[in-house]
Amino acid sequence: MSWALLLGLLAALLLLLLLSRRRSRRPGEPPLDVGSIPWLGHALEFGKDAASFLTRMKEKHGDIFTVLVGGRYVTVLLDPHSYDTVVWEPRTKLDFHAYAVFLMERIFDLQLPHYSPSDEKAKMKPTLLHKDLQALTEAMYTNLRTVLLGDATEAGGGWHEMGLLDFSYNFLLRAGYLTLYGVEALPRTRESRAQDRTHSADVFHTFRQLDLLLPKLARGSLSVGDKDRVCRVKGHLWKLLSPARLAARAHRSKWLGSYLLYLEEIGVPEDMQARALVLQLWATQGNMGPAAFWLLLFLLKNPEALAAVRGELEQLLSRTEQTVSQMTTLPQKLLDSMPVLDSVLSESLRLTAAPFITREVMVDLAMPMADGREFSLRRGDRLLLFPFLSPQKDPEIYTDPEVFKYNRFLNSDGSEKKDFYKDGKRLKHYSMPWGAGHNQCLGKAYAISSIKQFVFLVLVHFDLELINPDVEIPEFDLSRYGFGLMQPEHDVPVRYRVRP
Ligand code: HEM
């Protein structure tokens, strides 16, 4: 080893030791666990399998503790009765956006100098509600039909084989993209629809390459080869979603119009706008496909559940005057009358939605717990809720929490079940796939109606089967804890054909 290298290593070690001057727990603070590696603390275990690591920490310290993770002190709160206080704290105390801005830069190379999250939110929120929501839902139905039925017809009759994740993610993202970012032309023609299918497939396949590398990108652990690939893929996505290209598209959503206007108002140049649009593609489309994958897989593995959903849909259709092929939209009233499918969706999300609900601690803070205890949080630390462990997988709340029970969110009279208990007390938050409070997902209603429309179209128009009916439900890709919906370690082969 050369002297220069040795000196370099010693300097790095010294720096690490200086940086990691250990802090000690002050009275009133949660239990502190800094691990054994200076500065890194528990970063390796956390990144490898956050759910197992946090479960171990909970067994050791209880439902609130502070851990050192890559130079940051993160206070983890796992008592669902205490979540409500956190999610309603004002931004001046617990801030959602600081971490989002950090990820924006690290993953999407995005810098927005005059960015104001609250202005952005004020402009975007109305575009996902009320009349605009209805317009999105209608456009989504049309676009889902274009990609789903069009692709199948183009491919000819008979069975087609594909992975179920690929199937769900592909069709939902492509239709979602066309809905938000616009279509080739209006009125639609046979040629413009074909163009929509080709272009959206290009967007999906390019996006998916980035999506697969996202956990490594967020942790800064890409190999040299991965870095090259990420560069190429991002470059292609920036071109596909450049404002100049989007300007030529028809039937663009209000959501897109308002977002572009906001970026222009704060003086974002066009090349940076394209990056922002790629970030939005991920934020709006990255979870729906995986959610639909798990839902369909649970149905295919549970014949009783599938029969119950089919029964519900057939009953609804028998009450409408049009046949399915005549229906150009799926009215909201119909979408709102599917309690069995709603329960299946809630149960699927309970088992597979694992976002980190992260807030930056902006000032020294006293945090009251629901049981009367109070803990001090330090300014500059990060607070993390992980509802996946509790409430979602908590055996005190859900019997056999690992098991998919399609009617878990149904009362015996068929209405939605909303009462779940822990320590004898009713829970306000018994599942949190959408977050909660000030920063609850703005696209929740649109996402739910999109997933339901997709499942409706698949079940009504296709025969869909597992190629191996005995296939096991795959394990999670453990590197994806924290990003939203989990993805499987590997895909599950299915075959499908258009129903005669
Ligand atoms: C299955 C699909 C989806 C899931 C599971 C999901 C989940 C989430 C979660 C967990 C959060 C963070 C909440 C927090 O930290 O407190 C969030 C935020 C957000 N989501 Fe979604 N989301 C989905 C789809 C969508 C769609 C389709 C859109 C828009 C069209 C959207 C727009 C947003 C926005 C704008 C925020 C930030 C809210 C804020 O700034 O306060 N999401 N979502």
Side-chain angles (χ1 to χ4, degrees):
M1 191 186 290
S2 76
W3 280 109
L5 189 60
L6 192 63
L7 280 176
L9 278 177
L10 282 174
L13 199 65
L14 197 66
L15 188 68
L16 210 63
L17 287 172
L18 282 175
L19 283 172
S20 63
R21 268 188 314 161
R22 302 212 159 182
R23 82 174 190 189
S24 49
R25 181 183 178 191
R26 293 181 193 149
E29 287 186 342
L32 176 66
D33 197 320
V34 295
S36 52
I37 313 175
W39 191 80
L40 275 181
H42 291 286
L44 299 179
E45 299 156 90
F46 193 97
K48 208 164 146 203
D49 179 352
S52 300
F53 167 67
L54 294 174
T55 305
R56 273 202 310 281
M57 286 289 125
K58 187 182 177 192
E59 278 158 13
K60 190 168 165 193
H61 298 296
D63 50 17
I64 182 163
F65 49 86
T66 301
V67 283
L68 175 63
V69 183
R72 290 296 308 263
Y73 288 93
V74 181
T75 295
V76 182
L77 173 65
L78 296 170
D79 166 34
H81 281 305
S82 302
Y83 289 169
D84 206 47
T85 338
V86 171
V87 295
W88 288 111
E89 274 296 354
R91 269 191 54 208
T92 44
K93 290 186 175 171
L94 291 176
D95 182 33
F96 164 79
H97 288 102
Y99 188 56
V101 168
F102 161 78
L103 285 180
M104 244 155 77
E105 198 165 333
R106 170 166 274 187
I107 302 181
F108 297 97
D109 308 290
L110 184 61
Q111 285 142 1
L112 303 176
H114 304 290
Y115 176 61
S116 150
S118 46
D119 284 359
E120 183 200 67
K121 194 165 166 173
K123 292 213 159 67
M124 304 304 292
K125 196 172 172 179
T127 70
L128 295 166
L129 298 173
H130 312 300
K131 272 205 166 144
D132 289 334
L133 171 63
Q134 199 184 326
L136 285 178
T137 305
E138 284 172 16
M140 188 71 185
Y141 191 71
T142 309
N143 291 320
L144 274 169
R145 279 168 52 120
T146 300
V147 289
L148 258 176
L149 302 177
D151 270 14
T153 318
E154 251 172 28
W159 289 99
H160 306 287
E161 293 188 5
M162 167 171 206
L164 184 60
L165 177 65
D166 202 16
F167 176 87
S168 314
Y169 213 166
N170 181 319
F171 290 123
L172 261 168
L173 185 136
R174 287 165 65 200
Y177 164 74
L178 294 170
T179 301
L180 291 178
Y181 292 73
V183 295
E184 185 66 19
L186 270 190
R188 290 175 171 85
T189 60
R190 179 191 272 264
E191 289 74 31
S192 80
R193 280 180 209 271
Q195 185 60 30
D196 280 338
R197 284 198 290 279
T198 316
H199 172 64
S200 64
D202 191 7
V203 172
F204 170 70
H205 292 299
T206 318
F207 165 85
R208 183 68 176 130
Q209 291 178 54
L210 180 64
D211 183 43
L212 283 167
L213 289 169
L214 211 95
K216 280 190 185 170
L217 188 55
R219 296 193 180 99
S221 61
L222 290 176
S223 68
V224 178
D226 287 342
K227 276 185 189 153
D228 286 347
R229 178 126 47 95
V230 162
C231 253
R232 259 181 287 122
V233 168
K234 280 183 182 169
H236 190 38
L237 278 174
W238 293 337
K239 277 197 197 120
L240 284 172
L241 271 59
S242 71
R245 244 188 121 158
L246 292 179
R249 301 184 69 72
H251 205 224
R252 303 185 328 168
S253 64
K254 280 256 180 65
W255 171 88
L256 182 71
S258 299
Y259 190 55
L260 285 172
L261 202 64
Y262 172 68
L263 293 178
E264 267 157 39
E265 273 170 22
I266 58 168
V268 179
E270 283 217 356
D271 58 340
M272 215 29 101
Q273 288 186 24
R275 296 177 186 202
L277 291 165
V278 174
L279 156 77
Q280 293 296 347
L281 185 69
W282 174 71
T284 60
Q285 308 301 320
N287 282 319
M288 289 200 290
F293 157 77
W294 292 112
L295 190 160
L296 287 176
L297 183 60
F298 289 133
L299 287 185
L300 292 173
K301 289 295 293 173
N302 292 273
E304 192 195 344
L306 182 56
V309 172
R310 278 199 188 287
E312 179 171 80
L313 296 185
E314 275 156 23
Q315 211 180 30
L316 278 177
L317 285 173
S318 70
R319 280 192 253 132
T320 56
E321 278 151 25
Q322 294 170 309
T323 63
V324 182
S325 46
Q326 288 170 328
M327 289 166 85
T328 51
T329 60
L330 208 52
Q332 193 61 44
K333 227 173 101 189
L334 216 71
L335 279 168
D336 291 340
S337 337
M338 301 178 179
V340 179
L341 183 53
D342 286 333
S343 173
V344 168
L345 176 59
S346 301
E347 177 68 341
S348 306
L349 292 175
R350 179 186 72 79
L351 286 164
T352 60
F356 290 153
I357 308 293
T358 308
R359 302 290 182 263
E360 295 297 315
V361 182
M362 307 302 284
V363 288
D364 288 345
L365 194 71
M367 205 190 63
M369 301 275 286
D371 61 6
R373 289 175 294 163
E374 189 173 273
F375 290 95
S376 314
L377 301 185
R378 279 195 217 182
R379 177 174 164 226
D381 287 358
R382 189 170 284 160
L383 181 62
L384 173 75
L385 318 185
F386 193 40
F388 178 72
L389 286 188
S390 185
Q392 289 165 223
K393 290 288 198 82
D394 191 329
E396 264 186 81
I397 303 168
Y398 297 105
T399 43
D400 306 326
E402 301 296 331
V403 179
F404 173 85
K405 297 186 182 178
Y406 81 93
N407 51 3
R408 209 187 274 273
F409 294 92
L410 279 179
N411 290 313
S412 50
D413 66 356
S415 59
E416 183 188 352
K417 179 171 165 60
K418 295 178 182 174
D419 55 324
F420 294 89
Y421 296 83
K422 184 174 167 77
D423 302 329
K425 238 173 76 188
R426 189 170 168 177
L427 282 155
K428 183 163 178 193
H429 302 290
Y430 48 87
S431 190
M432 283 172 69
W434 315 97
H438 290 303
N439 299 102
Q440 166 158 296
C441 176
L442 289 183
K444 178 180 171 186
Y446 166 61
I448 291 178
S449 71
S450 298
I451 295 169
K452 286 169 75 174
Q453 293 189 108
F454 172 70
V455 173
F456 171 87
L457 284 169
V458 169
L459 293 185
V460 167
H461 287 289
F462 291 109
D463 290 321
L464 177 72
E465 297 174 356
L466 292 167
I467 288 184
N468 169 12
D470 298 326
V471 68
E472 302 239 339
I473 303 236
E475 297 293 324
F476 288 153
D477 166 357
L478 299 177
S479 69
R480 296 198 83 102
Y481 281 119
F483 290 95
L485 256 289
M486 294 304 282
Q487 294 190 15
E489 211 180 20
H490 54 80
D491 210 342
V492 179
V494 289
R495 63 171 153 252
Y496 69 96
R497 66 175 176 194
V498 179
R499 288 191 151 185

